[in-house]
Amino acid sequence: MAVARLLIRLTFLLLVLGATTAIALLLLLMDRLTGRRHNRSPLARACFLACCRCLGIRITERGSPPEGPVLLLSNHISWTDIPVLGGLTEIRFLSKAEVADWPLVGWLARQAGTLFIRRGSGEAAQRREDITRTLQAGQSVLVFPEGTTSSGLTVLPFFPRLIGAATAAEVPVIPVSIAYLREGEPCHVAPFIGDDEFHHHLLRLLSARAPEVRVTWHPPMTAAAGASARELSDRVREIILEGLRQSHHTPGVSGCPAATSSSVASRADMISRSK
C-alpha cells in the first residue's frame, strides 16, 4: 500500500510541478514582453493547494486568514508549512537561503517572490527593510521567527529583530499556530529537522498516510506604546504556543511538552548574539 501511495502521489506531484514551471515561465515571458512584473500571488496560492493535495495533506482551520497587508508569525515544523499556509492566503515568505539552491523548488520560490535570509550572516537588518517595503506595498509577509524547524511539540524561542518591520510599516502582527497530527496524535513524519535531506523526507511523506494539519489564525496584534520588539515577540510566542497546545488537545494527547532546558539555553544564547 505504501509503495502504491508513493507512486500515485509522486506522479501527480511531478505533474503539478511541471504545470507550475510552465506557468512560471509564461509569466516570466509576459514580464519581459510588457516590461512589468505580473502578480504571481493568486497562481502561487493555487499551486500551493495543488501540492498539498498531492502530498495527501488535509487542512483544517480555526479563525480566518487576514485581509490586507499584515506580518504573520508562525511556528515552523517542516518545509510543507509553506504550501499549507501559502495555499490558504496570498502571502510572501521569508525563507532560509538554502532553499534558493534547491533544484527547481528554489527557482519557483524566487519566481513567487520569496525573500531569503542566510542564518548567522548579519542580514537581519536588511531583510527587515525588505519586509517593511513589501508590507508598505500592500503585500502580507510570513516569517518563521524560530529561525529553524522544530519537532512540532513546542515553540522554540524567537529571534525578535524582524518583527520591527510591522511597526515600521504600521501594519498589525498576526500569530499563526500550525500543528501536524496523524490519527489524533502528533505526526512524527512531517517534521523536517536535524540533518534530514529534502528528497528523503519527501519520499517518506509521500509514502505515509495523510496527515491532518491544523492551522489557527489568531487575532491581530499591535505593539503597545513603548513596548520593545522582544516584548511583542514574547507575547506572540505565547499565543502561538497556546494555539499549538489546543490543536494537540485531542484524545491521547495531554498537551504540549515544554522544550528541554538544553535546547532553550542554546537558543537563548543564539538570540543574545543576534541582538
Side-chain angles (χ1 to χ4, degrees):
M1 179 61 73
V3 174
R5 186 185 297 121
L6 168 63
L7 292 176
I8 293 171
R9 289 180 179 172
L10 183 58
T11 299
F12 280 106
L13 181 61
L14 291 175
L15 290 173
V16 168
L17 287 176
T20 302
T21 302
I23 293 171
L25 288 171
L26 180 60
L27 285 171
L28 198 58
L29 177 61
M30 291 174 61
D31 290 348
R32 293 182 178 179
L33 290 175
T34 61
R36 65 182 181 87
R37 182 178 174 84
H38 291 76
N39 182 19
R40 271 101 165 133
S41 296
L43 289 171
R45 181 181 178 186
C47 292
F48 281 140
L49 274 178
C51 284
C52 288
R53 289 171 181 168
C54 292
L55 293 169
I57 292 174
R58 296 176 292 110
I59 304 173
T60 58
E61 297 178 79
R62 287 194 300 173
S64 301
E67 296 183 2
V70 296
L71 179 65
L72 298 108
L73 302 178
S74 172
N75 60 311
H76 197 16
I77 299 171
S78 176
W79 59 269
T80 54
D81 299 346
I82 291 177
V84 167
L85 297 174
L88 297 177
T89 186
E90 295 180 11
I91 47 178
R92 291 178 63 179
F93 291 90
L94 178 71
S95 178
K96 62 180 183 179
E98 291 86 345
V99 173
D101 298 326
W102 289 2
L104 185 59
V105 173
W107 182 80
L108 290 173
R110 290 193 297 273
Q111 293 304 306
T114 300
L115 306 171
F116 296 100
I117 185 169
R118 193 171 302 279
R119 289 174 291 187
S121 64
E123 296 178 353
Q126 180 59 51
R127 295 292 82 78
R128 183 172 56 199
E129 293 180 9
D130 293 341
I131 295 170
T132 299
R133 286 194 293 269
T134 302
L135 293 170
Q136 290 172 336
Q139 295 179 296
S140 296
V141 179
L142 188 140
V143 173
F144 299 110
E146 293 167 287
T148 187
T149 52
S150 74
S151 65
L153 299 177
T154 189
V155 180
L156 300 173
F158 283 0
F159 289 99
R161 297 188 65 178
L162 297 175
I163 203 171
T167 303
E170 299 181 338
V171 301
V173 170
I174 292 189
V176 182
S177 301
I178 184 168
Y180 290 78
L181 294 96
R182 194 181 302 277
E183 298 179 353
E185 299 287 338
C187 177
H188 300 295
V189 177
F192 182 63
I193 54 179
D195 297 326
D196 204 356
E197 295 185 7
F198 173 74
H199 61 286
H200 290 156
H201 185 266
L202 174 62
L203 292 177
R204 289 198 305 273
L205 195 63
L206 291 172
S207 303
R209 293 188 305 276
E212 177 192 0
V213 183
R214 297 180 181 177
V215 176
T216 303
W217 307 97
H218 297 281
M221 301 173 55
T222 54
S228 66
R230 163 54 63 193
E231 291 170 330
L232 179 58
S233 175
D234 288 343
R235 286 173 54 206
V236 171
R237 179 180 176 272
E238 287 302 317
I239 290 171
I240 293 174
L241 181 57
E242 180 57 29
L244 186 63
R245 289 193 179 108
Q246 291 178 9
S247 293
H248 284 166
H249 190 65
T250 56
V253 179
S254 60
C256 182
T260 63
S261 58
S262 60
S263 68
V264 172
S266 174
R267 295 285 295 164
D269 180 61
M270 292 171 65
I271 290 171
S272 66
R273 293 199 302 269
S274 72
K275 293 181 178 179

